[in-house]
Amino acid sequence: MTATALALATVRNIGIMAHIDAGKTTTAERILFFTGVSHRIGEVHDGAAALDYMKQERDRGITITSAATTCHWDGHTVNLIDTPGHVDFTIEVERCLRVLDGAVAVFDGVAGVEPQSETVWRQADRYGVPRVCFVNKLDRPGADYHRSVDMIRDRLGTVPLVVQLPIGSEAGFEGVVDLVSMRAHVWTDGRHTVVDVPSGLAEDARRWRRTLVETVADQDEEVMRLYLNGVRPSAEQLHAAIRRLTVASAATPVLCGSAFKNKGVQPLLDAVVRYLPSPLDVRKVSDDAPLAALAFKVMSDRHLGRFTFVRIYSGRLVQGATVLNGVKGRKERIGKIYRVHADKRVEIGAAGAGDIVAVMGLKQTTTGETLCDPAHPVVLESMDFPAPVIEVAIEARARGDVEKLGAAVHRLAEEDPSIQVRDENGQTVIGGMGELHLEVLVARLKEEFHVEANVGRPRVAYRETVRRAVERVDLTHRKQTGGKGQYAKVQITLEPIADGYEFVNRVTGGRIPKEFVPSVDAGCQEAMRAGVLAGHEMTGVRVTLLDGDFHPVDSSELAFTIAGSLAFKEAVRRASPVLLEPVMAVEVTTPEEYLGAVIGDLNGRRGRVEGTGERAGARIVRARVPLAEMFGYVGDLRGMTSGRGVFTMRFAAYAEVPPAAARKIIGS
């Protein structure tokens, strides 16, 4: 193994992901403390967490933007990214998981697997990111480790490997039993000691270790061979098998603790370096290979300006070098390169395979684009970003701030691909993933860019689509005003598809010159921006260009763009257009006595209750509810449950608006 490979074998690029309030940032802060990066522990509730460095994060006590840092543990380098837990900022998790090799999934030991836990878990599944689980807050009343493990198995569809047992429960939680080494980790008065397994837990520990070995044997051939030969695997053999299963995403180790009480963090770090993959486990990487790197995040700094977070998969990134943006085919010059700790940066001259760094000077590169060696062009798999479900109209209060507002909104949209910006009747309309998302954007306009803006009420981002196919629409665009005119004839079909937009060209025999076909496509896409019912963006449409005609003098790209747009609108009118609305997956936690009122209220909001359950002595209601009906729900729920009910909400899907409701929306 080369020196580079040896170094890479000790690198862990990991993220910490969780539902909001599961203790994710608190866990990350303890990791920084115990690895010596921080000399004091920053608390989220005090607004002092090092990784929550934005003013909006400290004001709200939540993580909004992912923060990167580097620490060291047991001879390993750990590049760590703390991701948001609130559903409105899921895009931050998405783009970080795209470039990470492993992740720690943190769960609230009282609540277990919560809705956003499921969302980020599915994101990690999509990118094939191996995970370890950390069941946190076991010192809290109602915490239940084994119920959380069952939920991890049942809701997330993974094979949990229980590698630890808690010692004590709730206020009496004092440590964990390591089932691999059969030793106990105990924290007393801030001191961490490793001792024999307490006698009262010895039998339980032996039983759970047998279960662990059997579960591993079911998945791993080497341990299965030992098991069938009656040989008890050593701790080293079991560790190695657990690592193989974790790296292959065939199983997930589950650990436990209380990060806030500083219990369980050191064994979690051991598990990170022991079980999660290095860059070498994920793909073939080398400093000597041609450069291949992915830009996964763009940020702005009031002092330094624009910089880009980059994950290097192979080759080296050197200050002053020229690289190629493989997506746009444009060359970029690398400015300064930084290692990052939250909002602090350390300049370095170069970075190699496996590194995650921040780069200055990339003027044209945006999220999801590839940087590569100009002599060896390559494009890495990019990312998909969800469409906004809610939007607000904003306008500058002062006439002199109009240009400043436009520049600020453009900068924010560069940073966050889940923001969409468009002009509507002289106003700027910003689309985002939720009310909090938009609230934070507006706050940043004021605090970071010093732009005062009038902000409209949040409104639902409806969509339009069609419900039936139209076999043929003939459209001739002819305009003669003296001199050269405009002429274009197109024949198209239109049909519904599941999502998005597709354009198919079936013109033969030169009936439409090849150079004009993209113009028809462009005209259709332009018409998609405003549907025929209420002017909302369209989705779920396939257009097929069948035939057409042109004039050698009067035909032009503009003429075919107009013809495509007009033909598309005519086809949509004949295709039974309908309105779509975002429907949210809502989970309400309420005391038993308010269950009936909560269900009745959700039904009254056009909701569909999908099931109820019980968790930590409270009732859980799961439902699908249109977003339009959920404005103001925070106050309504508090009122009907005497302030004791809480809820979470995430986007589920777009669905057709019932006719009566659609008529109101179209008429408004």
Side-chain angles (χ1 to χ4, degrees):
M1 189 178 283
T2 66
T4 299
L6 283 170
L8 283 174
T10 61
V11 171
R12 300 291 181 269
N13 292 315
I14 69 163
I16 300 189
M17 61 186 202
H19 186 94
I20 191 170
D21 286 337
K24 171 182 46 58
T25 298
T26 300
T27 302
E29 293 292 328
R30 272 27 178 208
I31 287 175
L32 299 188
F33 179 74
F34 288 117
T35 56
V37 173
S38 301
H39 299 293
R40 59 181 292 275
I41 295 174
E43 301 295 3
V44 176
H45 58 270
D46 292 334
L51 293 173
D52 283 349
Y53 59 87
M54 289 175 61
K55 181 179 185 299
Q56 292 78 21
E57 294 177 310
R58 296 188 167 183
D59 289 348
R60 293 168 172 82
I62 63 170
T63 301
I64 290 170
T65 186
S66 51
T69 190
T70 299
C71 55
H72 301 275
W73 184 257
D74 192 25
H76 290 70
T77 298
V78 180
N79 294 318
L80 181 149
I81 296 181
D82 177 32
T83 64
H86 195 286
V87 65
D88 283 15
F89 306 102
T90 300
I91 185 63
E92 282 289 321
V93 186
E94 180 90 14
R95 58 183 171 183
C96 291
L97 286 172
R98 170 63 182 83
V99 299
L100 293 174
D101 301 327
V104 176
V106 179
F107 300 91
D108 183 328
V110 179
V113 176
E114 298 174 271
Q116 185 66 0
S117 307
E118 295 186 60
T119 299
V120 297
W121 191 274
R122 304 299 173 216
Q123 288 173 302
D125 281 344
R126 185 159 60 248
Y127 293 113
V129 178
R131 281 139 278 178
V132 299
C133 296
F134 182 63
V135 179
N136 192 27
K137 299 190 178 184
L138 289 189
D139 60 309
R140 296 273 300 278
D144 189 328
Y145 176 59
H146 294 296
R147 188 190 67 231
S148 296
V149 172
D150 290 341
M151 293 176 76
I152 289 169
R153 176 190 299 107
D154 298 339
R155 288 201 182 184
L156 304 180
T158 189
V159 176
L161 301 176
V162 177
V163 297
Q164 289 181 349
L165 289 182
I167 301 173
S169 62
E170 299 184 350
F173 174 71
E174 59 183 35
V176 301
V177 174
D178 182 336
L179 296 173
V180 179
S181 67
M182 289 300 281
R183 298 283 283 169
H185 295 257
V186 177
W187 288 266
T188 308
D189 298 327
R191 287 190 312 112
H192 171 216
T193 55
V194 181
V195 300
D196 292 335
V197 177
S199 57
L201 273 176
E203 182 54 41
D204 261 1
R206 283 191 290 270
R207 179 168 55 85
W208 276 99
R209 192 182 198 276
R210 283 196 300 273
T211 301
L212 173 62
V213 171
E214 290 168 1
T215 306
V216 171
D218 284 343
Q219 308 285 329
D220 184 84
E221 289 184 9
E222 189 172 317
V223 175
M224 173 61 81
R225 192 161 48 246
L226 294 172
Y227 185 78
L228 292 176
N229 291 327
V231 179
R232 181 180 299 175
S234 67
E236 290 72 23
Q237 288 171 321
L238 201 48
H239 281 315
I242 292 170
R243 186 175 200 277
R244 285 193 294 271
L245 295 178
T246 304
V247 170
S249 295
T252 311
V254 183
L255 298 88
C256 58
S258 169
F260 182 62
K261 296 294 179 65
N262 303 326
K263 297 175 181 179
V265 178
Q266 296 97 324
L268 174 62
L269 278 163
D270 290 337
V272 165
V273 301
R274 189 175 278 148
Y275 302 139
L276 290 178
S278 75
L280 295 174
D281 295 308
V282 177
R283 59 186 290 161
K284 185 177 180 181
V285 295
S286 169
D287 281 2
D288 301 324
L291 175 69
L294 187 75
F296 68 95
K297 181 172 179 174
V298 177
M299 287 194 70
S300 298
D301 183 278
R302 66 179 63 184
H303 304 297
L304 297 177
R306 185 181 191 267
F307 61 94
T308 308
F309 281 93
V310 173
R311 163 68 195 268
I312 305 170
Y313 288 98
S314 65
R316 288 182 64 75
L317 202 62
V318 181
Q319 187 173 320
T322 297
V323 299
L324 177 71
N325 181 317
V327 175
K328 292 177 177 172
R330 305 287 292 274
K331 291 184 177 180
E332 294 260 44
R333 186 177 180 278
I334 301 297
K336 292 181 178 180
I337 303 173
Y338 297 95
R339 293 205 186 279
V340 178
H341 171 56
D343 59 341
K344 299 178 177 64
R345 285 164 286 279
V346 177
E347 187 177 343
I348 57 176
D355 275 335
I356 294 176
V357 293
V359 178
M360 301 289 296
L362 300 178
K363 297 178 180 178
Q364 301 172 74
T365 300
T366 58
T367 298
E369 295 180 348
T370 301
L371 298 176
C372 57
D373 184 336
H376 299 86
V378 66
V379 176
L380 300 171
E381 180 189 358
S382 189
M383 293 168 263
D384 295 322
F385 303 117
V389 297
I390 191 170
E391 54 191 27
V392 292
I394 62 171
E395 58 184 12
R397 289 183 187 172
R399 190 182 296 259
D401 278 350
V402 172
E403 285 189 15
K404 195 157 66 166
L405 173 64
V409 168
H410 175 72
R411 184 83 66 84
L412 290 173
E414 266 192 341
E415 289 186 23
D416 186 346
S418 64
I419 299 171
Q420 286 189 6
V421 182
R422 60 186 172 84
D423 290 325
E424 184 181 283
N425 300 324
Q427 291 182 314
T428 299
V429 176
I430 303 179
M433 302 311 297
E435 289 183 86
L436 180 60
H437 189 197
L438 295 179
E439 183 185 316
V440 168
L441 291 177
V442 171
R444 291 187 65 192
L445 285 174
K446 179 179 179 181
E447 293 161 6
E448 293 180 29
F449 298 95
H450 309 293
V451 175
E452 294 286 348
N454 296 319
V455 183
R457 294 181 60 185
R459 62 195 192 193
V460 174
Y462 293 101
R463 296 282 184 271
E464 296 183 25
T465 192
V466 297
R467 282 290 174 250
R468 69 184 185 88
V470 174
E471 290 188 4
R472 197 176 84 177
V473 170
D474 291 289
L475 193 290
T476 300
H477 171 64
R478 182 185 287 111
K479 187 175 182 182
Q480 197 70 44
T481 55
K484 184 178 178 181
Q486 291 182 12
Y487 178 84
K489 182 178 180 180
V490 298
Q491 183 186 95
I492 66 170
T493 68
L494 184 143
E495 59 188 311
I497 57 175
D499 192 25
Y501 165 81
E502 294 179 12
F503 180 82
V504 180
N505 176 28
R506 290 200 180 140
V507 175
T508 58
R511 300 280 294 171
I512 297 177
K514 289 182 179 179
E515 64 267 26
F516 294 148
V517 171
S519 300
V520 180
D521 183 9
C524 293
Q525 291 192 54
E526 185 178 306
M528 288 272 291
R529 294 175 188 167
V532 300
L533 292 176
H536 297 288
E537 185 177 336
M538 295 198 66
T539 187
V541 176
R542 178 187 291 123
V543 176
T544 302
L545 179 60
L546 299 175
D547 199 0
D549 191 19
F550 73 103
H551 187 278
V553 176
D554 291 347
S555 288
S556 63
E557 291 181 358
L558 175 62
F560 274 95
T561 298
I562 294 171
S565 176
L566 294 174
F568 180 90
K569 289 180 179 178
E570 178 58 30
V572 169
R573 291 188 187 96
R574 302 183 196 175
S576 301
V578 293
L579 203 60
L580 302 176
E581 64 182 344
V583 175
M584 314 303 285
V586 178
E587 184 171 288
V588 183
T589 304
T590 177
E592 172 79 38
E593 59 264 37
Y594 304 112
L595 180 64
V598 167
I599 290 175
D601 180 75
L602 291 172
N603 287 333
R605 296 173 185 267
R606 295 196 283 124
R608 186 179 79 250
V609 174
E610 296 185 321
T612 60
E614 192 169 346
R615 184 188 300 156
R619 296 304 301 271
I620 308 297
V621 182
R622 288 180 290 276
R624 297 288 180 100
V625 189
L627 175 61
E629 305 293 338
M630 291 300 292
F631 289 110
Y633 187 63
V634 173
D636 294 344
L637 180 62
R638 285 175 183 160
M640 77 180 83
T641 61
S642 300
R644 296 166 65 191
V646 295
F647 79 103
T648 61
M649 181 172 70
R650 60 184 173 85
F651 172 71
Y654 269 91
E656 187 174 334
V657 181
R663 284 193 291 272
K664 289 182 181 179
I665 296 164
I666 294 168
S668 62

